[in-house]
Amino acid sequence: MKRRKFEMAAVPGNVARGVDDRFQVATPLRRLLNKVFPDHWSFLLGEIALFSFIVLLLTGVFLTFFFEPAMTEVIYNGSYAPLRGTPMSAAYASSLDITFDVRGGLIMRQMHHWAALLFMAAIVVHMLRVFFTGAFRKPREANWIIGSLLFWVGFLAGFTGYSLPDDGLSGTGLRIASGIMLSIPVIGSWLTSSIFDGEFPGTIIISRFYIAHVLLIPGLLLALIGAHLGLVFKQKHTQWPGPGRTNDNVVGERMFPRYALKQGGFFMVVFGVIALMAGLFQINPIWLFGPYEAWVVSAASQPDWYVMFLDGSTRLMPAWEIYIPIGDGYVIPPLFWPTVVLPGVLVGMSVLYPFIEARRLKDYRHHNLLQRPRDVPARSGLGAMAVTFYLVLALSGANDVIADKFNISLNAMTWGGRIGLLLLPPLAYFVTYRICLGLQQHDREVLAHGVETGIIRRLPDGRFVEVHQPLHREDGELEYVGWVVPKKMNRLGALGPAIRGFFYPIEKPAEAPVSPAPSVDSDTERSEIASGERR
Amino acid sequence: MTSDNDRRRGLLARLRGRPAARSRGRRRLGAAVRLLAALMLAGGAYTAFAPSVQAQDTPMSSAATDGKALFNQSCVSCHGRNAQGVEGRGPSLVGVGSASVEFQVGTGRMPMVRQEAQAPRKPPVFNDDEIRQLGQYIQELGGGPEVPAGEDLHKDGNLAAGGELFRINCSQCHAFGGGGGALSSGKYAPTLKPATDRQIYAAMLSGPQNMPVFGDNQITPEQKADIIAYIQETLNHNQDPGGFNLGRYGPSTEGLAIFLVGIVALVFTTLWIAGKS
């Protein structure tokens, strides 16, 4: 009997056929794999957040194997000598064990923490990209709202996680959180005692935060991220305007193989950057903070960066108590305004912004093309205003460290923050607005008169004129289409293509270009130009 | 109340009751004897109860004399003659003890360059011998706390106990990592990094600048040794198992790092792998 010949090359095809016979997935899968994504660096910022979330899940699962979420008092007897014999909660003792006695525990803890910081940072950077390019406009308002909620849910995830080790620093943060909740009129005391099960700190808060941190909040995050990505798939990604790109199509790369490969590679890079930071930079050294005791409050007690703006607003708030003479009298403490009202206003404003803008501009059309920030100076100005406001608050949150290290009076920092909070945002609006108008004007000028060549010609009568390379043959003006206007001769192919390579040239540079430029061989070479442009 | 007539008579006579008639000469003699006795009693009591005045008359030790010379050269403009202080410039140094001199002069804080919120640490102006002489002068001037002898003051210190004491008593201003922190109006708690055992001990004893005094009644000498052991063995030993400590400034520099390192690196990656125009 003749043995059947085994053909390696036919295996994938056979397997695929077998799968499709049983599940009928070829048609939907083809649709999915052929889905086109526009390609631009700024579209990858959200992915940083997504990939750090995956790292958070992986490292977080590792940490749960060793963490003990209990506030029962134990005597530490691990390998960190300066705390041996100290009474502390089981949560803190197990965090120390993860750090010093579990193999690989410290780097897992540090990766988890750095990934959390990166997650929040990437959310903010991604949000800025979406805001400044107008990607939140109809039909994508829902996704903008989900994104804003992701920030606040991530904020909660970060705060609960930061509190879990029950060290001196996080306990101070928890104390402040309980103070913030207490400051809410009428319901404050009920809210605090129901969360802490009595007076702060109680004996159950760590267990409650634990279940919120490892189950409820990640579940919510996962659901929101799923909805966020699902909407991107359904509504398709926005794209920059440009040749061949309209409001009704998507120009880019197919999901498979190029886009998927790039994303896979990018995930590896994000993972690598987090691992590298965790290996190189120490984060949250809980062993120095000691166990939480109510009477230990260190100088420079700060929350993680995404909470720091609340710390800053608290530091800048004047001590204005509002006394309401009802019954025995009622006091609204000053803490209420910067830590409850301000975040509430911020959530409301960010969620409602797409609708406010549409209403103001009476623009209810679908928008699938992005806008360059310079083309919408009012929005860019508002964004700059918001960023400045946030930065002043965040810097004020660290104002004692800044005051100490730069030899500034802390009082001066506080007053600088108060005045800066009122003055700098409008200033940022004005400056941004003017810069946008200036950039617009330059684009129009190039379209009308051409690119500066750097050549000065002397006329027979002695005058000098600057030679421009017009962008069009006929007389008349080119219309601005909302996309990059070439401003350098090599962008026109007039000086030969730029040297390729990211950090160093991967090909020998051509000989120094002569002017007027030599003709360029083909269009394909021109399209390889990759650098020499700023935006 | 005694009558006007009674008051003119002496105390003893009144106690004795109605006086017998005495000659004018005897009365005069008795008054002289009583005056003499009272003077002798007062003088004797004075010599018995005021020895310090007598001590001032004893000559200072030679070290203190040298110290006084240094004082008159470098310190007198703010702390005044005999270290009694000058209003608005420098406090009196009577009774601050050699511990205070050792800290302030040994860390270069004194002499001050100018009047400001707080004297910063700088390379000391005087050498160890001169600091000892100055300290001896101030010590002999009015007494006060002294740092015990020896360079290594934390030999038998207990790290865990010291850590707990440090977090309770010191971290409010000097921070968990001992890196220091800001106080109001330009004042600050300095970093503990360059401090020697003796300087930390002297600071606790004398409470320099804005620091409270931690006398031996509040923190015993054994507990002081524990605290110094924790500072020197744990905080100043550069044991950072997690890598570069980012200055141990807490979450503020960590937040800076995630943007300057993490986000910057990844944005460059996006520029590398995706289209730019």
Side-chain angles (χ1 to χ4, degrees):
Chain A
M1 193 177 141
K2 197 180 165 194
R3 201 177 161 192
R4 251 175 90 186
K5 209 173 136 196
F6 178 77
E7 254 191 272
M8 192 64 207
V11 170
N14 289 336
V15 171
R17 200 173 307 116
V19 169
D20 188 44
D21 276 350
R22 290 167 180 82
F23 303 108
Q24 286 86 43
V25 288
T27 312
L29 206 62
R30 179 190 297 272
R31 226 179 113 78
L32 185 72
L33 295 184
N34 279 348
K35 199 165 177 62
V36 165
F37 284 90
D39 184 44
H40 190 262
W41 67 271
S42 66
F43 301 161
L44 295 179
L45 300 172
E47 270 86 343
I48 303 177
L50 177 67
F51 297 149
S52 6
F53 184 68
I54 295 173
V55 176
L56 280 170
L57 290 181
L58 294 175
T59 51
V61 167
F62 178 89
L63 295 176
T64 56
F65 292 154
F66 303 99
F67 181 69
E68 192 188 340
M71 291 173 89
T72 41
E73 192 171 274
V74 296
I75 303 289
Y76 179 69
N77 206 16
S79 56
Y80 185 64
L83 284 173
R84 221 174 277 154
T86 308
M88 57 181 64
S89 69
Y92 184 58
S94 63
S95 304
L96 287 175
D97 287 341
I98 290 174
T99 306
F100 292 108
D101 294 305
V102 173
R103 189 173 294 260
L106 179 57
I107 194 160
M108 283 295 179
R109 246 198 69 222
Q110 301 209 124
M111 276 182 76
H112 195 70
H113 207 135
W114 280 121
L117 295 194
L118 186 65
F119 177 65
M120 295 304 286
I123 285 180
V124 169
V125 175
H126 173 59
M127 198 173 181
L128 291 178
R129 195 282 293 177
V130 169
F131 181 84
F132 281 110
T133 60
F136 56 80
R137 292 173 299 166
K138 191 178 173 186
R140 296 182 179 80
E141 301 100 328
N143 228 8
W144 166 264
I145 293 172
I146 292 174
S148 312
L149 293 182
L150 269 171
F151 175 84
W152 291 104
V153 178
F155 180 97
L156 280 183
F159 185 75
T160 48
Y162 167 89
S163 301
L164 283 185
D166 200 24
D167 56 275
L169 186 62
S170 71
T172 305
L174 208 51
R175 168 85 267 194
I176 296 170
S178 88
I180 291 170
M181 285 187 266
L182 276 173
S183 79
I184 303 173
V186 185
I187 62 162
S189 43
W190 277 279
L191 183 70
T192 319
S193 39
S194 53
I195 286 180
F196 288 92
D197 195 23
E199 191 48 68
F200 173 87
T203 52
I204 195 147
I205 188 66
I206 296 293
S207 322
R208 286 187 173 169
F209 269 25
Y210 180 70
I211 205 65
H213 183 74
V214 303
L215 180 72
L216 303 178
I217 295 174
L220 192 55
L221 277 176
L222 216 52
L224 286 174
I225 290 174
H228 201 67
L229 295 181
L231 278 176
V232 171
F233 264 73
K234 178 71 189 69
Q235 300 180 326
K236 300 183 182 64
H237 205 290
T238 49
Q239 63 183 350
W240 290 104
R245 297 176 190 162
T246 70
N247 207 21
D248 304 314
N249 70 0
V250 181
V251 178
E253 292 168 340
R254 283 192 176 141
M255 171 108 153
F256 194 84
R258 276 195 64 141
Y259 188 75
L261 280 177
K262 273 190 179 181
Q263 294 296 310
F266 193 39
F267 171 66
M268 302 290 171
V269 176
V270 172
F271 198 114
V273 166
I274 292 171
L276 208 63
M277 290 192 76
L280 293 178
F281 303 122
Q282 177 170 291
I283 188 167
N284 201 24
I286 51 164
W287 55 91
L288 292 177
F289 304 153
Y292 178 64
E293 286 151 318
W295 52 88
V296 173
V297 177
S298 166
S301 284
Q302 262 108 16
D304 280 340
W305 75 264
Y306 44 87
V307 190
M308 215 173 271
F309 76 102
L310 287 183
D311 209 304
S313 63
T314 310
R315 291 174 191 215
L316 297 188
M317 180 73 194
W320 293 336
E321 265 184 359
I322 296 178
Y323 178 77
I324 303 169
I326 306 174
D328 295 332
Y330 195 88
V331 171
I332 301 180
L335 185 65
F336 176 63
W337 307 106
T339 55
V340 181
V341 174
L342 177 81
V345 170
L346 290 182
V347 175
M349 265 169 41
S350 69
V351 163
L352 290 179
Y353 185 77
F355 306 103
I356 297 172
E357 191 188 275
R359 197 189 160 95
R360 202 174 63 84
L361 299 176
K362 297 191 173 54
D363 179 0
Y364 301 106
R365 286 166 298 157
H366 274 242
H367 293 283
N368 296 320
L369 287 178
L370 298 173
Q371 288 171 306
R372 301 174 82 195
R374 66 184 64 178
D375 294 336
V376 201
R379 184 201 294 145
S380 303
L382 273 180
M385 208 164 157
V387 170
T388 316
F389 185 80
Y390 187 90
L391 272 182
V392 171
L393 287 184
L395 287 178
S396 297
N399 65 3
D400 58 331
V401 175
I402 297 172
D404 187 39
K405 300 310 162 196
F406 293 95
N407 291 326
I408 306 168
S409 159
L410 185 55
N411 305 37
M413 284 294 298
T414 304
W415 276 103
R418 283 172 181 169
I419 296 166
L421 193 66
L422 297 178
L423 285 189
L424 290 182
L427 192 70
Y429 180 88
F430 177 75
V431 170
T432 312
Y433 201 99
R434 299 308 305 179
I435 290 176
C436 289
L437 290 186
L439 289 170
Q440 277 187 27
Q441 206 168 16
H442 192 237
D443 282 349
R444 301 302 193 282
E445 188 189 310
V446 170
L447 288 172
H449 302 294
V451 180
E452 289 176 6
T453 56
I455 299 168
I456 308 282
R457 177 175 291 157
R458 189 176 189 188
L459 300 181
D461 57 5
R463 282 183 300 150
F464 290 94
V465 291
E466 199 183 344
V467 178
H468 282 81
Q469 169 64 52
L471 295 175
H472 52 103
R473 290 188 201 284
E474 308 84 30
D475 289 338
E477 279 191 21
L478 280 176
E479 208 183 328
Y480 179 71
V481 293
W483 188 228
V484 179
V485 175
K487 300 219 172 133
K488 284 180 181 165
M489 287 302 280
N490 63 354
R491 293 284 300 161
L492 300 175
L495 291 178
I499 307 303
R500 295 180 63 205
F502 192 75
F503 291 114
Y504 53 90
I506 55 174
E507 61 192 19
K508 268 203 154 173
E511 286 186 13
V514 287
S515 187
S519 63
V520 179
D521 304 324
S522 66
D523 275 356
T524 52
E525 214 170 321
R526 219 176 292 171
S527 67
E528 291 287 344
I529 297 170
S531 64
E533 179 213 344
R534 261 169 191 285
R535 207 170 31 259
Chain B
M1 282 302 275
T2 50
S3 70
D4 219 29
N5 204 21
D6 275 347
R7 195 174 285 164
R8 252 184 271 127
R9 291 157 48 198
L11 178 69
L12 287 171
R14 257 181 286 152
L15 286 175
R16 233 186 278 127
R18 301 308 294 178
R22 281 186 295 181
S23 75
R24 193 184 167 112
R26 275 192 66 182
R27 280 214 303 277
R28 287 237 170 110
L29 185 69
V33 169
R34 283 203 294 275
L35 184 68
L36 199 67
L39 279 174
M40 280 176 68
L41 198 68
Y46 185 74
T47 46
F49 290 117
S52 58
V53 179
Q54 226 177 16
Q56 187 140 50
D57 296 332
T58 61
M60 290 190 295
S61 64
S62 69
T65 318
D66 293 344
K68 183 170 186 172
L70 289 169
F71 181 90
N72 285 339
Q73 197 184 337
S74 301
C75 319
V76 74
S77 58
C78 294
H79 291 293
R81 287 174 148 279
N82 296 320
Q84 283 160 336
V86 176
E87 185 75 40
R89 267 197 250 165
S92 162
L93 300 182
V94 177
V96 301
S98 66
S100 189
V101 177
E102 182 164 353
F103 179 83
Q104 300 281 5
V105 185
T107 59
R109 286 182 166 82
M110 292 289 149
M112 259 176 132
V113 174
R114 59 172 180 272
Q115 294 284 347
E116 56 188 326
Q118 190 168 328
R121 189 186 182 103
K122 57 182 181 291
V125 175
F126 297 102
N127 62 31
D128 289 351
D129 287 335
E130 290 167 334
I131 293 166
R132 205 169 307 121
Q133 289 160 358
L134 273 171
Q136 188 63 31
Y137 169 59
I138 296 298
Q139 190 68 35
E140 290 186 15
L141 204 61
E146 288 176 279
V147 182
E151 288 298 320
D152 181 10
L153 296 178
H154 68 267
K155 271 194 300 292
D156 309 318
N158 176 345
L159 281 185
E164 189 166 7
L165 287 166
F166 180 87
R167 288 190 294 272
I168 293 172
N169 294 293
C170 318
S171 70
Q172 283 93 331
C173 303
H174 293 287
F176 286 124
L183 303 173
S184 59
S185 303
K187 295 173 222 152
Y188 58 92
T191 170
L192 302 176
K193 196 106 192 131
T196 64
D197 287 9
R198 291 187 66 82
Q199 284 163 356
I200 298 171
Y201 203 106
M204 283 191 276
L205 271 184
S206 64
Q209 319 226 7
N210 295 291
M211 183 164 159
V213 174
F214 296 95
D216 286 348
N217 292 334
Q218 286 100 32
I219 293 183
T220 63
E222 294 76 41
Q223 289 175 327
K224 286 195 173 79
D226 294 345
I227 292 178
I228 295 173
Y230 180 74
I231 294 172
Q232 302 291 32
E233 299 291 328
T234 307
L235 299 184
N236 286 353
H237 224 248
N238 277 336
Q239 291 165 323
D240 285 309
F244 174 50
N245 62 21
L246 297 170
R248 283 211 195 121
Y249 299 146
S252 42
T253 42
E254 292 162 6
L256 204 61
I258 198 64
F259 279 93
L260 290 187
V261 180
I263 289 290
V264 165
L266 290 171
V267 166
F268 268 101
T269 312
T270 64
L271 285 166
W272 180 40
I273 65 176
K276 283 181 279 291
S277 56

